[in-house]
Amino acid sequence: MQDRIVVDWGSSNFRAYRFGPDGTVIDRHQAAAGILSVIDGRFEDTLRREIGPWMAKEGRDICLSGMITSRNGWVETPYLACPATVAGIAQHALVRELADGTRLHFMPGVSALAPSPDVMRGEEMQVFGTVGAADDATIVLPGTHSKWVRVAGGAINGLRTFLTGEVFALLSQHSIVGRLMPKDPAPFDEGAFLAGVDLAFSPASISLLNDIFTARSGALLGAFPVESIASRLSGMLIGHELAAGLALETGTAARLVLIGEPVLVQRYALALAHRGRAAEIGPAEAAVEGFRKLASTGALA
Amino acid sequence: MQDRIVVDWGSSNFRAYRFGPDGTVIDRHQAAAGILSVIDGRFEDTLRREIGPWMAKEGRDICLSGMITSRNGWVETPYLACPATVAGIAQHALVRELADGTRLHFMPGVSALAPSPDVMRGEEMQVFGTVGAADDATIVLPGTHSKWVRVAGGAINGLRTFLTGEVFALLSQHSIVGRLMPKDPAPFDEGAFLAGVDLAFSPASISLLNDIFTARSGALLGAFPVESIASRLSGMLIGHELAAGLALETGTAARLVLIGEPVLVQRYALALAHRGRAAEIGPAEAAVEGFRKLASTGALA
């Protein structure tokens, strides 16, 4: 097997990896060159600017994953419906050949149709980098759009996205709840955060739409200081996500693995531990490991 | 009893009513002179500009209600804790005398402390205008911050606010869900709206944070056209509010009364009827009737 190049090209970031024949990373490059920064669809120019030297040397085949394969990217690929494996993803790639003969393999995203429609583009590689070929687990990727990904026998067979991080940002920046928060962000208040988590799990919580208002009304009535509103709101939202996600689990012995941005992963782990639920922390470089598996797939030869 | 002036002074609008000795409205005035439009706290100037002639003639006592009594208004009044009656509100008014002897009576808002903290300022007058002195009912005021107000024996004894309208606006204008909506707003799609309502009541709904993402992913996967996203999202949010609000009801024969902006009231009535729940439509001028009761209270003499 020759060297392989994989590009993880998201909305904000461009990350490229060169894997040697034995699967080790022999070179890597990162730039703030996400698809939102690319003007007039000049993706090839951007690609050559970032990893031109690699391409000249040996880049006859390049895998691309992430938002570069979306409607707003270079080549839109269809979603691969669950169950999805690394091999299945590689097989359903769309190939485009550049003038110099370089073949670009655009990976599909993954979709779930039942019990409710859901999609992802890029996160699946982090999941494959976390689980083994025969693993059963639920992988949680906290973030702007948190993903709960169900894996059975090493294949992705279910997916739920929660708008947790985006709703937190919108409420903090634009809503009547955020208007009461101090202009200088207050430090993280663990007690307020966990009180918010507990509220989401309690019978007093009848709806998230009501809970978030209490982050304001409670402060107006002196139940807690305005400095704790942000942490309380964060706890409520994450608590609602966790309560819903955990309720989906069928077996009590199911593995729960958190991967992603360390600060967020720690916050989710804190909330889960507080609710008495054990969770593993996945590898920091889950995406790289997933790309290593993708790069070593025969389908891309 | 002499004539009475009541000013309903909210964030965006200024509405004043002059009641005759028999309780009929003998004059009314409305202007886009809400507290957000008043610069440098010049509330007295604004009041005289809008209803100066009434004040010169007989305005020795003026009742003020709404956001004018909030932290961002003229005089902040404490909240009156439930149970709250019209007489109790009048008794807890804060009185300020102007240089010419005019007495301003700033009404308190109403708060609920249990089972969760909640507040309102102004909406309570619409509630009192809707119910009789011995009524038991749940009054629903749909809006940016929807209120579910529990009335027993004519007194307000419970309150829940849902951020339904504000969350809809934030998601439509600023979120990844809204980004898929056509720039020119699509017409109201009743089928999509009711599908959203049904989703909120169904076991497939595990969390609002997940449901709202499906308004995007369903369109991406071709389950429905992008033109229907807004109506579907509206249905989901209103559905979540209704499911939570209805679950609070203790008796099946409880009266449910909708009051407020007609288009919104109709949309809530449509959703409730679709879910098999009867609801009354309250009076169009509920606030005026509430102010009439307030104006005729002896406590303001």
Side-chain angles (χ1 to χ4, degrees):
Chain A
M1 183 182 125
Q2 61 177 38
D3 289 1
R4 293 257 179 260
I5 297 173
V6 178
V7 180
D8 175 14
W9 203 338
S11 296
S12 308
N13 288 296
F14 176 102
R15 293 185 180 90
Y17 306 93
R18 201 155 63 93
F19 293 93
D22 63 349
T24 58
V25 177
I26 54 178
D27 212 348
R28 59 168 71 200
H29 172 72
Q30 180 172 349
I35 67 165
L36 296 179
S37 73
V38 177
I39 314 273
D40 294 336
R42 302 176 71 163
F43 296 107
E44 184 174 345
D45 292 348
T46 306
L47 186 70
R48 293 194 183 279
R49 184 188 71 210
E50 298 300 335
I51 58 166
W54 300 4
M55 292 169 69
K57 227 162 96 190
E58 74 229 299
R60 313 313 289 170
D61 288 279
I62 300 178
C63 297
L64 298 104
S65 175
M67 292 305 281
I68 191 70
T69 72
S70 74
R71 196 164 298 183
N72 303 318
W74 192 345
V75 170
E76 182 180 5
T77 59
Y79 292 100
L80 177 63
C82 291
T85 60
V86 176
I89 290 207
Q91 279 158 20
H92 288 82
L94 292 186
V95 182
R96 294 289 179 273
E97 200 166 310
L98 298 180
D100 71 353
T102 301
R103 280 180 301 275
L104 305 177
H105 302 251
F106 291 90
M107 300 298 129
V110 173
S111 67
L113 302 176
S116 83
D118 220 309
V119 295
M120 61 181 164
R121 250 182 219 287
E123 293 91 346
E124 63 279 3
M125 300 318 300
Q126 294 180 59
V127 172
F128 291 126
T130 302
V131 297
D135 280 3
D136 295 340
T138 297
I139 314 299
V140 180
L141 301 92
T144 308
H145 305 144
S146 285
K147 307 279 183 192
W148 286 60
V149 184
R150 189 94 191 135
V151 176
I156 292 173
N157 75 349
L159 167 65
R160 292 270 195 173
T161 300
F162 297 83
L163 226 63
T164 313
E166 182 158 11
V167 169
F168 176 76
L170 291 177
L171 291 173
S172 300
Q173 291 160 24
H174 299 291
S175 83
I176 194 172
V177 179
R179 222 168 296 155
L180 219 51
M181 294 181 189
K183 288 215 169 64
D184 295 323
F188 179 64
D189 178 337
E190 184 173 313
F193 172 75
L194 294 176
V197 171
D198 283 337
L199 173 61
F201 279 85
S202 87
S205 168
I206 59 166
S207 165
L208 178 62
L209 292 170
N210 174 234
D211 287 348
I212 55 186
F213 185 75
T214 67
R216 172 181 168 85
S217 52
L220 285 175
L221 295 172
F224 45 80
V226 294
E227 287 75 16
S228 77
I229 294 176
S231 296
R232 181 171 303 265
L233 187 63
S234 168
M236 284 177 191
L237 290 164
I238 291 174
H240 271 275
E241 177 189 331
L242 294 176
L246 293 177
L248 289 178
E249 296 192 309
T250 46
T252 50
R255 283 178 64 197
L256 196 64
V257 187
L258 295 165
I259 51 176
E261 206 255 300
V263 170
L264 221 42
V265 162
Q266 286 305 328
R267 201 173 279 201
Y268 274 60
L270 173 67
L272 284 164
H274 179 69
R275 298 301 307 176
R277 182 63 167 86
E280 305 166 37
I281 309 282
E285 294 230 307
V288 180
E289 176 58 16
F291 289 127
R292 192 192 60 73
K293 290 179 182 173
L294 180 70
S296 61
T297 301
L300 298 176
Chain B
M1 183 181 124
Q2 62 178 37
D3 290 2
R4 295 254 181 260
I5 298 173
V6 178
V7 180
D8 175 14
W9 203 338
S11 297
S12 308
N13 288 296
F14 176 103
R15 294 186 180 89
Y17 306 93
R18 200 154 64 93
F19 293 93
D22 64 348
T24 58
V25 177
I26 55 179
D27 212 347
R28 60 168 71 200
H29 172 71
Q30 179 172 349
I35 66 165
L36 295 179
S37 74
V38 177
I39 314 274
D40 295 334
R42 302 177 70 162
F43 296 107
E44 185 174 344
D45 292 349
T46 307
L47 186 69
R48 292 194 183 278
R49 184 188 71 210
E50 298 300 334
I51 58 165
W54 300 4
M55 292 169 68
K57 225 163 98 191
E58 75 228 297
R60 313 316 286 171
D61 287 279
I62 300 178
C63 297
L64 298 104
S65 174
M67 292 305 281
I68 190 69
T69 72
S70 73
R71 195 165 299 183
N72 303 317
W74 192 344
V75 169
E76 183 180 5
T77 59
Y79 292 99
L80 178 63
C82 291
T85 61
V86 176
I89 294 218
Q91 279 157 19
H92 288 83
L94 292 184
V95 183
R96 294 287 180 273
E97 201 166 310
L98 299 180
D100 71 352
T102 300
R103 281 181 301 275
L104 306 177
H105 301 252
F106 292 90
M107 301 297 129
V110 173
S111 67
L113 303 176
S116 83
D118 220 309
V119 295
M120 61 181 163
R121 249 182 221 287
E123 293 93 344
E124 63 280 2
M125 300 317 301
Q126 295 181 60
V127 172
F128 291 126
T130 302
V131 297
D135 280 3
D136 295 340
T138 297
I139 314 298
V140 180
L141 300 93
T144 308
H145 305 143
S146 285
K147 308 279 182 191
W148 286 60
V149 184
R150 188 95 190 137
V151 175
I156 293 173
N157 76 349
L159 167 65
R160 292 270 195 173
T161 301
F162 297 81
L163 226 64
T164 313
E166 183 158 11
V167 169
F168 176 76
L170 291 176
L171 291 173
S172 300
Q173 292 160 24
H174 300 291
S175 83
I176 194 172
V177 179
R179 221 168 296 154
L180 219 51
M181 294 181 189
K183 287 215 169 66
D184 295 322
F188 178 64
D189 178 338
E190 184 174 313
F193 173 75
L194 294 176
V197 171
D198 283 337
L199 173 61
F201 279 86
S202 86
S205 168
I206 58 166
S207 165
L208 178 61
L209 292 170
N210 174 234
D211 288 348
I212 55 186
F213 185 76
T214 67
R216 172 182 169 86
S217 53
L220 285 175
L221 295 172
F224 45 80
V226 294
E227 287 75 15
S228 77
I229 294 177
S231 296
R232 183 171 301 266
L233 186 62
S234 169
M236 284 177 191
L237 290 165
I238 290 174
H240 271 274
E241 177 188 332
L242 293 177
L246 293 177
L248 289 178
E249 296 192 309
T250 46
T252 49
R255 283 178 63 199
L256 197 63
V257 187
L258 295 165
I259 51 176
E261 206 255 301
V263 171
L264 221 42
V265 162
Q266 286 305 327
R267 200 173 280 200
Y268 274 60
L270 174 67
L272 284 164
H274 180 69
R275 298 301 308 177
R277 181 64 167 86
E280 303 166 39
I281 309 282
E285 294 230 306
V288 179
E289 176 59 15
F291 289 128
R292 193 194 59 72
K293 290 180 182 172
L294 180 69
S296 61
T297 300
L300 297 176

